[in-house]
Amino acid sequence: MTDLETTARALVAEGRGILAADESDGTIKKRFDSIGVESSDETRRAYRDMLFTTEGAEEFVSGVILFDETIRQSSADGTPFPELLDSKGIIPGIKVDKGAKPLALAPGETITEGLDGLRGRLEEYRGLGARFAKWRATYSIADDKPSEYCVWTNAHALARYAALCQESGLVPIVEPEVLMDGTHTLEASAKATGRVLQAVYVELHDQRVDFRGTLLKPNMVLSGYDGSDRAGVEEVADATLDVLYRHVPAAVPGIVFLSGGQTDEDATAHLNAMNARGPHPWQLSFSYGRALQAPALKAWAGKPENVEAAQRAYYHRAKMNGAARTGVYASEMEREAVPA
Ligand code: 13P
């Protein structure tokens, strides 16, 4: 087994998944605005420190995705974050894209930037302790969207990123996110997600990426958030699995879903329902941002005296998602295990 495959498999080890703590400055400011906390390098550091020093979270968390600023920051005792995570058996990773920007001549669609100079940045991040990376492309659903133009330009960029990562010894997490905003049906979501994944795997193959040393980070197939009569947990699990079985090669070791604005309990229930239908050719796991952090962020509210309560909230969500990895989660566990 190559080192890349070993790392990819470790990231989807049984009962564990990934914490996405790689919010860009703009995104973390939005999160902090929601709790009335100013976003400064120190508040961002303190917030991430709270998450990363949570005792016992490593039982359920295999890796953490960091942002450029965060990978250079340290815990309160001066230990650099990548070293702190490593010491707990959590693999440090890094977001390397530079964000989704308007796609030229395609109103309302985006292309993710960040390829120029990427080889040098990957080398630096590896030196800072990163063992895997993430690149996110986004697609909207509407009558004429996603366009073939948007699907293929983003697939091409994702594959260029993935090839550069493998050359640098980093496992690429390939994240094509079909956004669930809007009133679209479950069927429209399935169609767009399948189209996007098909193009991604054509480009990854053509650009010589070894699927065994990659992870896929897709959206789940949901009804649009503003739609009426939205699909329930079982329907979502069936529709998502159907698309994955059609379009994701069995050589991919793991699929680590994003939460994409679902409530934290929905994200857990959906993952659980899919794993309850297993075994599958790939591990089905999580790489959640909001769905792992939301209750902790709220409990923290920027106050040092709340750190313990916030850590309990984060630990609880990690534990629930750890249970969903093997299909043994039940909503009663939310109440039983709710931290004091
Ligand atoms: P969410 O789980 O909040 O969608 O974030 C995951 C992520 O990393 C998005 O790029």
Side-chain angles (χ1 to χ4, degrees):
M1 204 184 291
T2 63
D3 288 352
L4 287 171
E5 187 174 354
T6 304
T7 302
R9 290 191 178 279
L11 285 166
V12 291
E14 194 178 325
R16 298 172 89 201
I18 297 170
L19 165 68
D22 61 328
E23 296 85 359
S24 61
D25 287 343
T27 305
I28 197 77
K29 184 179 179 312
K30 255 193 268 169
R31 305 276 185 268
F32 281 14
D33 283 348
S34 75
I35 52 164
V37 171
E38 190 204 339
S39 180
S40 67
D41 48 1
E42 178 48 27
T43 54
R44 293 190 292 270
R45 192 208 62 74
Y47 174 65
R48 267 83 181 233
D49 203 7
M50 176 277 291
L51 293 172
F52 304 162
T53 55
T54 298
E55 255 176 65
E58 59 272 16
E59 192 180 342
F60 315 110
V61 176
S62 56
V64 172
I65 315 175
L66 304 166
F67 182 58
D68 180 75
E69 175 187 68
T70 323
I71 199 171
R72 302 168 198 279
Q73 288 180 321
S74 299
S75 190
D77 70 358
T79 312
F81 282 143
E83 199 179 311
L84 169 76
L85 294 168
D86 247 339
S87 73
K88 291 170 172 281
I90 296 177
I91 304 174
I94 181 78
K95 183 229 293 293
V96 301
D97 68 67
K98 296 215 160 178
K101 305 286 158 61
L103 177 63
L105 309 182
E109 301 201 284
T110 62
I111 179 73
T112 301
E113 296 188 348
L115 288 170
D116 288 354
L118 182 57
R119 179 181 272 125
R121 290 199 293 127
L122 294 176
E123 198 180 321
E124 187 195 4
Y125 288 137
R126 202 176 146 83
L128 290 167
R131 307 239 316 267
F132 69 100
K134 183 194 103 170
W135 177 290
R136 171 175 176 255
T138 60
Y139 315 81
S140 299
I141 298 180
D143 295 344
D144 55 347
K145 295 187 185 74
S147 66
E148 288 294 296
Y149 168 36
C150 174
V151 164
W152 285 101
T153 45
N154 275 294
H156 190 265
L158 276 164
R160 282 198 60 201
Y161 140 81
L164 282 162
C165 283
Q166 291 197 330
E167 182 192 80
S168 303
L170 295 169
V171 170
I173 295 189
V174 174
E175 182 180 5
E177 177 176 6
V178 180
L179 301 166
M180 293 297 138
D181 305 297
T183 56
H184 61 263
T185 61
L186 192 71
E187 291 68 35
S189 174
K191 186 166 169 237
T193 305
R195 182 73 197 99
V196 162
L197 290 177
Q198 188 62 33
V200 164
Y201 282 103
V202 168
E203 285 291 345
L204 287 172
H205 177 265
D206 286 357
Q207 295 189 43
R208 307 181 178 177
V209 173
D210 182 347
F211 296 164
R212 295 167 299 184
T214 66
L215 294 173
L216 175 68
K217 176 164 174 168
N219 53 284
M220 294 181 194
V221 173
L222 309 175
S223 319
Y225 289 138
D226 302 321
S228 51
D229 200 17
R230 301 187 59 226
V233 173
E234 303 305 324
E235 266 182 290
V236 165
D238 287 337
T240 304
L241 285 172
D242 184 59
V243 168
L244 297 176
Y245 270 85
R246 287 170 192 272
H247 298 286
V248 183
V252 174
I255 296 175
V256 293
F257 293 101
L258 57 92
S259 59
Q262 302 176 59
T263 67
D264 30 296
E265 291 189 23
D266 277 356
T268 307
H270 288 146
L271 178 63
N272 187 69
M274 286 187 260
N275 276 316
R277 288 156 166 73
H280 302 297
W282 348 258
Q283 292 292 314
L284 292 185
S285 184
F286 55 91
S287 174
Y288 294 159
R290 283 161 286 182
L292 271 172
Q293 295 182 49
L297 179 73
K298 216 167 134 199
W300 177 65
K303 300 196 174 81
E305 62 269 29
N306 292 341
V307 162
E308 225 178 279
Q311 291 185 328
R312 278 200 302 270
Y314 166 55
Y315 179 87
H316 175 68
R317 285 263 50 86
K319 187 175 175 180
M320 295 300 99
N321 286 301
R325 286 282 284 108
T326 45
V328 301
Y329 166 81
S331 57
E332 300 78 63
M333 291 162 68
E334 297 286 353
R335 283 178 291 281
E336 278 165 24
V338 161

